[in-house]
């Protein structure tokens, strides 16, 4: 792939992003001798550049010394929001570096999104589960030609997975991955879209074929993420305005505003939920808690052209417990149907769909139930604990939980609120502390536990915390290990430290137990 300065200039002008070019002979808007200068690589990592690389100076933590080292490695041209006093052949100065990177990245990789059916999920909880469900269904439809970008894992060939570093990758990485997916003969891409993806312009200029809004509650509120819930919610709902078709949980909070937004934008919409006021109603099977029926309602017939109504009425069964997972499955069925899936694809796909770290259940040798789940915000934790309480209403509910450092500070109080409502014993521990003290984070959670009946304990060694919970429980009790699921790393001081994984620790300890 080659990318000329003349093409770059045209794109930046088209999006009103160009300030000026700074070359060795001054500041210009036009290019003469340099217009044919081309690049075969693009990068925002100063350690991965050479003379043929177009380099983006992006990020709050960007330092001029990174650019200096890149130039020493042979770099001759960079893109930035300000010129630097360095010896570069050309500096491309833009009004917004992140928008510029998105615009130029998609062009460099020749707009791979146009060769895929792209489905995007957003919401405070359930994105990963719904995305995995959708991939499982579409794998039946496409014969495993569905790529996935999720919080936990990514696959660009439909088979091999690798660990994800961001829920939604940086724009440059996103379009590179899309191009790889296309080169791997993928026809569909299912991806999670975080609020930060819109906050930091990672998906600027991208239109999704199908966009889904699952739910909303306060999360990611912190000085380095979203300063307020309003900002978080605003970023979340941008997905609806940048999708060709939209699917919404009719029972999500603030539904009225979402409905007004899409109505104003003129985007076709379908809704799902437990009530008949939704276009598609989810009803749990009375004899099998893992099974449900999905059918369209009169509401759907009234406001949708019959030819646009997905034919997905049927009976389905999933491997994950909880009403909320059936609702995630309903969203996946709708999305997959709009992307070409049949009822049988949905039934087969959901019957075998597994989601790493979601509602993994173990049984203690004494009979106690043990649930391992990636629940890591207010809504997901509350739903998980309500389910666990419902399953064993007479026993104690023992919860192991922590909260990440350097982000989502509001979660700490939220966790304390949920634990106050539903927990009997809370063992507060480490969960990706980053540059913060895990003990301090745990104390902030504890400060929000107002129910004096909750037995609060501290154990910063997460393995020991799980061991302690398993030693405390009796046959009637339920142990919930929340936060990391099957994640094999703890983020500590900027590094991924190896970690055995909640599920594997619990499984090992139960097998080794003498009880």
């Amino acid at each position: 792939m080659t990318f000329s300065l003349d093409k770059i200039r045209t794109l930046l002008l088209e999006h009103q992003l160009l300030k000026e070019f700074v070359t060795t002979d001054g500041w210009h808007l036009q290019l003469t001798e340099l217009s044919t200068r081309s690049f075969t690589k693009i990068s925002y990592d100063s350690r991965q550049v050479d003379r043929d690389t177009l380099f983006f100076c992006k990020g709050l933590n960007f330092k001029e010394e990174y650019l200096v080292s890149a130039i020493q490695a042979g770099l001759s041209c960079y893109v930035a929001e300000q010129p630097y006093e360095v010896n570069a052949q050309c500096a491309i100065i833009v009004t917004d570096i992140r928008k510029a990177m998105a615009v130029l990245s998609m062009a460099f990789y020749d707009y791979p999104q146009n060769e895929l059916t792209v489905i995007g999920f957003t919401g405070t909880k359930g994105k990963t589960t719904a995305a995995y469900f959708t991939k499982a269904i579409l794998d039946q439809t496409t014969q495993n030609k569905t790529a996935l970008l999720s919080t936990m894992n990514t696959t660009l060939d439909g088979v091999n997975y690798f660990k994800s570093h961001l829920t939604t990758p940086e724009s440059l990485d996103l379009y590179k991955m899309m191009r790889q997916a296309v080169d791997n003969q993928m026809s569909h891409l299912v991806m999670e879209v975080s609020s930060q993806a819109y906050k930091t312009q990672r998906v600027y200029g991208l239109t999704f074929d199908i966009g889904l809004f699952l739910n909303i509650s306060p999360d990611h509120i912190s000085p380095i993420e979203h300063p307020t819930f309003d900002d978080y919610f605003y970023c979340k709902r941008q997905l609806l305005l940048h999708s060709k078709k939209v699917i919404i949980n009719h029972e999500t909070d603030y539904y009225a505003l979402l409905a007004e937004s899409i109505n104003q934008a003129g985007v076709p919409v379908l809704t799902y939920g437990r009530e008949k006021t939704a276009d598609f109603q989810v009803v749990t099977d009375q004899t099998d808690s893992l099974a449900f029926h999905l059918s369209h309602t009169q509401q759907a017939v009234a406001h949708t052209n019959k030819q646009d109504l997905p034919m997905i009425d049927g009976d389905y069964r999933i491997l994950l417990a909880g009403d909320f997972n059936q609702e995630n499955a309903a969203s996946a069925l709708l999305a997959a149907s709009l992307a070409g899936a049949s009822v049988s694809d949905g039934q087969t796909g959901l019957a075998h769909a597994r989601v790493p770290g979601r509602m993994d259940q173990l049984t203690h040798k004494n009979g106690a139930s043990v649930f391992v789940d990636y629940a890591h915000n207010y809504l997901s934790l509350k739903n998980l604990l309500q389910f666990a309480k419902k399953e064993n209403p007479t026993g104690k509910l023992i919860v192991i939980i922590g909260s990440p450092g350097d982000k989502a500070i509001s979660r700490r109080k939220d966790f304390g609120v949920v634990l106050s409502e539903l927990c009997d014993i809370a063992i507060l521990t480490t969960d990706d502390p980053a540059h913060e003290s895990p003990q301090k984070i745990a104390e902030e959670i504890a400060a929000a536990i107002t129910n004096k009946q909750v037995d609060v304990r501290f154990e910063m060694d997460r393995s020991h915390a799980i061991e302690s919970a398993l030693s405390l429980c009796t046959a009637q009790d339920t142990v919930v290990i929340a936060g990391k699921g099957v994640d094999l790393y703890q983020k500590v001081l900027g590094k991924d430290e190896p970690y055995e994984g909640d599920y594997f620790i619990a499984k090992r300890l139960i097998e080794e137990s003498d009880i």
Side-chain angles (χ1 to χ4, degrees), residues 17 22 59 64 75 83 119 148 178 216 228 271-272 298 334 349 366-367 381 400 407 432 464 483:
L17 291 169
V22 180
E64 187 173 344
L75 183 79
I119 302 171
L148 174 73
M178 284 188 182
I216 189 73
T228 62
T271 63
Y272 66 94
Q298 288 304 308
L334 280 165
N366 67 10
L381 181 64
I400 302 102
K407 66 176 184 177
D432 291 338
H464 290 167

Side-chain angles (χ1 to χ4, degrees), residues 237-394:
R237 64 181 187 263
Q238 294 309 298
L239 175 66
L240 303 180
L241 306 180
H242 295 89
S243 298
K244 296 175 184 176
K245 297 179 181 178
V246 166
I247 298 166
I248 302 179
N249 177 357
H250 194 274
E251 283 133 35
T252 182
D253 289 346
Y254 305 97
Y255 172 77
L257 178 57
L258 298 175
E260 289 176 24
S261 298
I262 55 177
N263 182 60
Q264 184 171 296
V267 182
V269 60
L270 291 170
T271 63
Y272 66 94
R274 292 281 172 179
E275 304 298 327
K276 290 184 178 180
T277 49
D279 295 321
F280 287 84
Q281 184 180 21
V282 184
V283 179
T284 302
D285 189 299
Q286 294 300 306
T287 61
D288 182 353
S289 63
L290 297 179
F292 67 96
H293 182 75
L294 184 66
S295 60
H296 72 275
T297 65
Q298 288 304 308
Q299 174 72 17
V301 175
H303 97 268
T304 308
N305 292 328
K306 194 167 184 180
Q307 63 268 27
D308 296 331
L309 194 63
M311 294 295 105
I312 58 170
D313 291 25
D315 296 308
Y316 302 90
R317 193 176 193 276
I318 57 178
L319 299 176
L320 300 186
D323 288 352
F324 52 93
N325 281 319
Q326 294 179 3
E327 290 150 23
N328 289 330
S331 74
L333 285 164
L334 280 165
S337 177
L338 291 178
S342 66
V343 170
S344 61
D345 292 337
Q347 290 168 331
T348 303
L350 289 178
H352 299 93
R354 304 201 72 92
V355 185
R358 292 300 197 275
M359 291 299 288
D360 282 320
Q361 184 172 4
L362 296 163
T363 302
H364 198 291
K365 287 182 179 178
N366 67 10
S369 295
V370 180
F371 293 101
V372 181
D373 193 90
Y374 188 62
H376 61 288
N377 56 48
Y378 174 82
L379 265 183
S380 56
L381 181 64
K382 185 171 183 177
N383 281 334
L384 173 61
L385 299 193
Q386 284 177 333
F387 169 78
K389 202 79 169 177
K390 182 180 177 182
E391 289 291 293
N392 292 309
T394 60

Side-chain angles (χ1 to χ4, degrees), residues 152-197:
M152 293 297 295
N153 290 302
T154 291
T155 178
L156 302 177
D157 61 5
V159 179
N160 298 297
Y161 289 78
F162 57 90
K163 180 177 171 58
S164 304
H165 293 287
L166 293 170
T167 299
T168 309
E170 293 284 2
S171 57
L172 188 154
D173 301 319
L174 175 61
Y175 292 106
K176 181 180 181 180
M177 289 178 180
M178 284 188 182
R179 175 48 59 193
Q180 289 175 322
V182 171
D183 291 345
N184 289 332
Q185 307 302 311
M186 297 294 101
S187 60
H188 290 65
L189 169 63
V190 179
M191 61 181 287
E192 297 179 44
V193 187
S194 66
S195 57
Q196 284 293 299

